[in-house]
């Protein structure tokens, strides 16, 4: 029975990694669409987000089945409960990335980004993609130091998020209402994507050290 249980735990980990990779690809395509007004990439990101959502639901069903049939305790129980929480974060990451793609889709053939904020969003996208890479690596090989790297890097996204609001709220902001809505929403999506990576890193760190 223990061997079967360990195989099931391995399957849970593999599916978490697959979800993280899916969110990573959706964000890559979504940011490409957003920064370059690429409608084809936007459509691909939106389609992948639907697929990732279904995979997250399948993973949740697997975890619930294991909980019901194996009655895990102690660390095994913590792993499975954490997997449910991480699955939700990964599904949300894919959804947030698809929202970024959707903004690009709605504004095509025009751009959703005014030139005054293009560099800011390019940097935000770069950091989010870096964090997505780290999330995949962390779920493949849990490592406390990598989890701490993720938590430290999140601050850069927060600063850029605040910069977008500073620009939009400044007296010199002269863009139309559509730009105002687009950049405000997009900035929030980028910031929340990074927050979910941090949530995952915190759960992995807790499982490794027992410290929250």
């Amino acid at each position: 029975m223990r061997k079967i249980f360990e195989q099931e735990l391995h399957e849970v980990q593999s599916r978490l990694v697959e979800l993280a990779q899916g969110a990573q690809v959706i964000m890559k395509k979504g940011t490409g669409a957003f920064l370059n007004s690429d409608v084809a990439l936007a459509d691909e990101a939106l389609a992948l987000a639907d697929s990732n959502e279904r995979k997250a639901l399948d993973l949740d069903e697997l975890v619930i089945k294991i909980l019901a049939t194996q009655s895990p305790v102690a660390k095994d129980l913590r792993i499975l409960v954490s997997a449910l929480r991480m699955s939700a974060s990964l599904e949300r990451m894919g959804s947030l990335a698809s929202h970024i793609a959707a903004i690009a889709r709605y504004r095509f053939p025009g751009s959703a980004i005014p030139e005054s904020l293009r560099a800011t969003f390019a940097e935000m996208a770069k950091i989010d993609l870096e964090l997505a890479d780290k999330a995949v690596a962390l779920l493949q090989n849990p490592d406390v130091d990598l989890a701490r790297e993720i938590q430290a890097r999140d601050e850069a996204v927060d600063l850029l998020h605040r910069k977008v609001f500073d620009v939009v709220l400044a007296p010199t902001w002269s863009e139309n209402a559509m730009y105002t809505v687009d950049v405000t929403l997009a900035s929030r999506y980028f910031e929340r994507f990074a927050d979910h990576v941090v949530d995952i890193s915190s759960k992995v760190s807790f499982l490794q050290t027992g410290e929250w």
Side-chain angles (χ1 to χ4, degrees), residues 75-122:
K75 184 177 180 180
D76 292 335
L77 179 60
R78 291 197 300 271
I79 289 172
L80 290 168
V81 172
S82 295
L84 284 173
R85 300 291 298 276
M86 287 189 279
S87 171
S89 285
L90 291 165
E91 185 276 328
R92 189 63 187 145
M93 285 164 59
S95 181
L96 290 164
S98 76
H99 293 339
I100 294 168
I103 293 175
R105 186 73 181 82
Y106 296 148
R107 301 302 169 230
F108 182 80
S111 172
I113 319 170
E115 284 303 316
S116 59
L117 283 171
R118 183 167 294 278
T120 301
F121 276 106

Side-chain angles (χ1 to χ4, degrees), residues 34-35 112-124 160-161 163-168 173 175 179-180 182-184 187:
F34 185 71
L35 295 172
I113 319 170
E115 284 303 316
S116 59
L117 283 171
R118 183 167 294 278
T120 301
F121 276 106
E123 182 63 19
M124 203 180 296
L160 291 167
H161 178 53
K163 181 178 178 180
V164 170
F165 276 77
D166 288 342
V167 171
V168 170
W173 178 257
E175 304 295 346
Y179 269 139
T180 302
D182 285 347
V183 300
T184 301
S187 181

Side-chain angles (χ1 to χ4, degrees), residues 55-70:
K55 290 177 181 178
L57 289 173
D58 289 343
L59 173 56
D60 292 349
E61 289 177 2
L62 172 62
V63 172
I64 291 168
K65 186 199 77 159
I66 297 171
L67 288 169
T69 58
Q70 298 287 355

